[in-house]
Each structure stands twice: as C-alpha cells, then as structure tokens.
Amino acid sequence: MSEKIDFSKPCHVHFIGIGGISMSGLAEILIDRHFTVSGSDRAPSGLTEHLEKMGAKISFPQNAGNVTDDIDMFVYTSAIHPDNPEFAAALATGKPVLKRAELLGQIMEHYKNSVAVAGTHGKTTTTSMISQVLLEYDPDPTILVGAIFPAIHSNVRSGSSENFVAEACEYTDSFLNFYPEYAVILNVEAEHLDYFKTLDNEISSFHKFARNIKKGGLLVINGKTNGLEKIISGIDADVLTYGFDDSFDCHPLDIEYKNGYPSFIPVIGGQALDRIQLNVPGEHNVGNALASIAVLLRMGLPFDVIKRGLEKYAGADRRFQYKGTLPNGAVIIDDYAHHPTEIRASLNAALHYPHKRLIVAFQPHTYTRLKSFLNDFADALSLADYVVLADVFAAREKDVYGVNSSNLFELLKKNGMPCSYFHTFEEIEDFLEKNSTDGDLLITMGAGNIVEVGEKLLSKAK
C-alpha cells in the first residue's frame, strides 16, 4: 500500500505508543474516519481507555507479538527506541512505518485551512486560543492540542469542516513534516539542546518550517524572535510581526489588569480594534492573543467572533490552572512551565494575581535542560517568595549529566533565595501543608508529575 494516508481508503493503522497525548489524538481522528486502529503502550491510561471505548484494540505492554499480519501501516513516537522489540518487528514486515509527525503532516494535507502553531513556548495556549475562536465560528473544526482543552474535554476534536489547527513541535524537527496554510512562530530560544546542540541549528530548523508554509499563506511571528531575519528570509508566505510597541504589525494598546487578567486594545495592520478582556493571566498571553487574532482575521473570521472566543477562553490543562483552595486559605495553581523563560512568564503573571506570598514547588524537567540553564533557572525562580524543589523528572534521559536538583538548591541558597529541597512528594506535601497559610499562592510547576502534589493536598483536605 501507499505510505500516504488516504481518507477515502481507510486501512488498519497500528500505533506504537498510542497512549501519548498526540498519538492518541491522531488515533482518534483516524477512528472517526472509519480506519481500523490498534496500538500498544506500557500501561493503560485515561487516554487509552477512551480509545478502547471508540473501538481501538490496545495491547499492554509493547512486544513483538502485537505486530499482526492484518496491519497495513505503523506509526511510532520519538520516545520509541530502535531496540524496542515491537518497533523492530514492525520494520521487519516491510510495510510503511511512519513517525508520529509524518502522519500528522499527512492528515493536515486533507484540510484547506490548516493552522500550525510553533515556538519554543506557548504552543498549547495559542493553539487553544485559536481553537476556542474556531468553535465559536465553525460548528465542526478539527483540533489537536498538546494538553486537555476544557472546551472539548479532550486533546483532540475530529471534525468535517475545512478548518484544522494543531501544535507544531520543533523537537527532532517534527514540524518539518507540516505544510500549513497559516503558521505562528511564538518564539525561538535555546531548547532541546540534546537534539539541536546550538541555537543556530534551532533557528535553521525554524527557517525550514517557515519555508514549508504554502505560497500565499501567512506567517505570524514574534518580532523579537531570535534569528527573525534568517527565519523569514526567502519564504513564499506573507509575514506579520507582533510585539508590544508600534514597530510591529500587530501590537497592544493600553494594557490594564483586573484581578490578574489583562485587557488591551489590539492594533492589527494599523487598525485599532475593540478592547479585549482576557480570562488568562500574564502579559505573555496578550502576545499569544495578538498572534491568534492576526491568523484568525486572515482566515476571514469576523472580529466580533474572535473577541467573543478569546474572552471565553479560560486556559488549557496545566497552564496556570486553578486547582483549588486549601482549608487554610492557600490557593493552588498548577503550571507546565519548565524552561526559564516560561517560568518568568508564569511568575510575572502570578505577580498580578491576588496574593500575599508566592510559593513555587518546582520539578526540573530533564537533566540536559537543567545543566544548560542552571543559572537561568535560579534567576527565574527568584521572582517567587519561597521555592520548594523536587528531584529531576528525567523523562527520556538517564542521570549521567553530573547535575541534579541539589545543584539548583545550592545556587538558590547562595543567591539568598529562601528554599527547601526534598526527594519525595510526600515530604513536599507535608512541608507545604504545615507552612502555607491564607493569602499564599502556591504553584506546582514543571512538565513532569509535580501536579500530583497539589492534587494530593486538595484530596486530603476533602
């Protein structure tokens, strides 16, 4: 069979690592298009249970026996290593074996109005903002987000209209498989250095992504992005910049804050529009909203619909998400920030949020990131009043980099930052329970499982 997915010819697709947030979304889109879907993962989850209810056959754990003769095509994630026995068995069949991003790129080709949201930070939020507006305008868009999006109670929505919006992740050059009509680049910073090695390599990758935008399409890009001129050089798409002063094509006027949430007057291409009141905190979300407005206007949506959708948007899962209030009055927020720039953005947003004291329980994500940005992490976390550190969430890595949370702890102490470091979540929960009080804003922060700390504190309080 062809290595190209054809919606008019459903076949049997097997997902190796089907429980991932993006893999499960792609599987759901194919099920909705009448494909036969099977898959495997290490253990069951809410996402795999949902897919099974839709008709997918899922095996646990991964092994070569899951590869059967009736499978037409295999899809795998970057988390699958070459020595994975199921992956090796799939290759041995001689049938098409696609990376997750290759499949996503092929699916994107089936939609006339495709939007790909890229950038080192803010992809999930901006994708969700655009999605929220599309839901106001189009009864049946297709959406693929990197987190649970409350408006659809899922990370995916499979629709039948021409509108498709998805995150475009730069890691391992995944987004180079996408050829969208509209694209956003929110920022480009040194990140995923285990793959890119240097910022220059990363900028080159974003340039290739920008060149993939269809001729006559649109790129909306942060005007202060590293390597801006190189990224937009020679591309066939129109370009709009956004930023926080009138040197950019899109910028805000008169930012005001109400209970921590900003409102502003968007100026797009020289035209001042009606004031928008956001329901997510932080100046960085003003930027995300500006990028969203520029894309949506180009897609032909009326501004009153865009304004209504953005004012309705209240965030995605784990993006400055209110989790609850403890009996002692401390408010618990969870945030996915795991890069120093993201931490600064989230903590600056928190400074506008009503509180007396800001306490951050932070879990570093990957040893390579901690090693690359150790001083930057210490500097960003200094925006808090008190920091509680957890051990590193290793993700795909092994502890061979000569750095861990104790190094960050010592640096924070050296800088005069009040802080504590615990090896277990139980110790962190006990400390926070005993040392938080009314007026405290307690943020669990990181891309690992630190969210469990706040959830456990709230469950114990019931």
Side-chain angles (χ1 to χ4, degrees):
M1 65 164 287
S2 167
E3 292 193 12
K4 288 277 189 182
I5 281 288
D6 185 344
F7 279 3
S8 68
K9 298 177 182 177
C11 61
H12 182 174
V13 182
H14 182 83
F15 291 78
I16 306 173
I18 198 169
I21 194 84
S22 180
M23 287 280 275
S24 64
L26 295 175
E28 184 165 337
I29 290 172
L30 292 189
I31 292 170
D32 195 56
R33 296 284 178 165
H34 309 295
F35 283 69
T36 299
V37 169
S38 60
S40 65
D41 217 306
R42 288 175 294 179
S45 67
L47 291 173
T48 60
E49 289 172 8
H50 173 67
L51 290 173
E52 286 175 322
K53 288 177 182 175
M54 292 187 69
K57 180 182 178 183
I58 304 178
S59 303
F60 308 98
Q62 292 163 355
N63 62 68
N66 296 331
V67 176
T68 55
D69 292 340
D70 59 332
I71 296 170
D72 299 304
M73 177 183 287
F74 298 87
V75 183
Y76 68 100
T77 74
S78 57
I80 300 298
H81 297 290
D83 60 355
N84 181 293
E86 187 169 329
F87 178 67
L91 289 175
T93 66
K95 295 177 180 178
V97 181
L98 304 183
K99 295 179 181 177
R100 174 201 63 82
E102 289 176 315
L103 177 62
L104 175 52
Q106 290 186 19
I107 288 175
M108 191 178 288
E109 286 293 304
H110 288 81
Y111 298 85
K112 180 181 177 182
N113 300 318
S114 56
V115 184
V117 180
T120 317
H121 325 293
K123 291 185 291 292
T124 295
T125 294
T126 307
T127 305
S128 300
M129 282 182 170
I130 293 170
S131 299
Q132 185 82 59
V133 175
L134 282 177
L135 289 166
E136 289 290 310
Y137 177 74
D138 167 16
D140 211 17
T142 297
I143 297 165
L144 195 61
V145 191
I148 300 300
F149 176 32
I152 58 176
H153 307 290
S154 177
N155 63 305
V156 63
R157 186 188 189 283
S158 179
S160 59
S161 78
E162 293 291 339
N163 295 318
F164 179 95
V165 58
E167 291 187 33
C169 181
E170 73 277 10
Y171 186 55
T172 67
D173 287 327
S174 292
F175 61 0
L176 299 189
N177 293 284
F178 308 158
Y179 296 84
E181 185 74 23
Y182 310 96
V184 176
I185 295 179
L186 298 161
N187 37 62
V188 180
E189 293 192 46
E191 174 69 310
H192 301 305
L193 295 180
D194 56 323
Y195 177 75
F196 288 112
K197 309 303 180 187
T198 68
L199 176 59
D200 283 344
N201 289 341
E202 194 168 352
I203 289 169
S204 295
S205 184
F206 273 88
H207 172 58
K208 293 173 186 174
F209 168 71
R211 289 183 63 181
N212 281 357
I213 302 168
K214 292 179 179 175
K215 188 173 183 178
L218 175 69
L219 170 63
V220 178
I221 186 167
N222 185 330
K224 288 192 173 181
T225 292
N226 286 315
L228 173 68
E229 293 305 320
K230 181 176 181 178
I231 291 170
I232 65 176
S233 174
I235 71 172
D236 289 330
D238 296 334
V239 177
L240 286 177
T241 61
Y242 74 91
F244 286 85
D245 63 57
D246 61 10
S247 65
F248 304 104
D249 300 314
C250 313
H251 59 273
L253 293 177
D254 194 23
I255 299 175
E256 298 177 349
Y257 286 88
K258 181 179 179 181
N259 296 323
Y261 299 132
S263 70
F264 65 100
I265 296 170
V267 179
I268 310 294
Q271 182 181 3
L273 304 169
D274 290 343
R275 177 175 289 275
I276 289 180
Q277 173 66 61
L278 297 182
N279 276 303
V280 284
E283 187 177 82
H284 62 293
N285 277 320
V286 173
N288 294 336
L290 280 169
S292 301
I293 294 166
V295 167
L296 291 159
L297 285 173
R298 179 63 172 263
M299 291 176 72
L301 275 70
F303 180 70
D304 63 323
V305 173
I306 297 171
K307 172 180 163 73
R308 186 166 69 243
L310 286 176
E311 292 188 337
K312 188 178 288 187
Y313 175 70
D317 193 42
R318 301 212 62 198
R319 272 64 180 180
F320 210 89
Q321 182 184 16
Y322 172 76
K323 303 293 287 191
T325 302
L326 295 176
N328 63 15
V331 172
I332 296 181
I333 300 287
D334 181 63
D335 195 88
Y336 195 70
H338 54 285
H339 183 283
T341 298
E342 296 168 349
I343 293 169
R344 286 190 192 95
S346 292
L347 296 187
N348 274 316
L351 296 178
H352 291 284
Y353 200 95
H355 70 280
K356 294 177 181 176
R357 190 171 58 149
L358 179 56
I359 302 173
V360 176
F362 178 63
Q363 179 187 42
H365 185 265
T366 74
Y367 296 102
T368 51
R369 187 177 287 112
L370 182 60
K371 185 173 184 177
S372 298
F373 303 111
L374 185 63
N375 288 309
D376 287 335
F377 275 118
D379 180 65
L381 289 167
S382 68
L383 289 169
D385 296 306
Y386 199 97
V387 175
V388 181
L389 291 176
D391 282 330
V392 174
F393 188 89
R396 55 189 173 269
E397 296 181 344
K398 294 181 180 178
D399 185 4
V400 294
Y401 295 91
V403 66
N404 56 45
S405 294
S406 65
N407 300 97
L408 181 55
F409 176 60
E410 293 301 327
L411 187 55
L412 286 167
K413 284 200 303 181
K414 181 181 175 182
N415 293 347
M417 184 70 198
C419 56
S420 299
Y421 168 37
F422 300 104
H423 293 288
T424 69
F425 282 0
E426 289 77 12
E427 291 172 294
I428 295 174
E429 290 157 14
D430 184 60
F431 177 85
L432 293 175
E433 194 171 29
K434 291 177 179 176
N435 292 279
S436 61
T437 187
D438 188 26
D440 285 344
L441 186 60
L442 198 167
I443 303 179
T444 55
M445 181 172 283
N449 57 343
I450 190 69
V451 59
E452 295 171 8
V453 168
E455 292 175 344
K456 185 68 176 293
L457 285 171
L458 289 165
S459 67
K460 286 165 62 177
K462 288 182 179 177

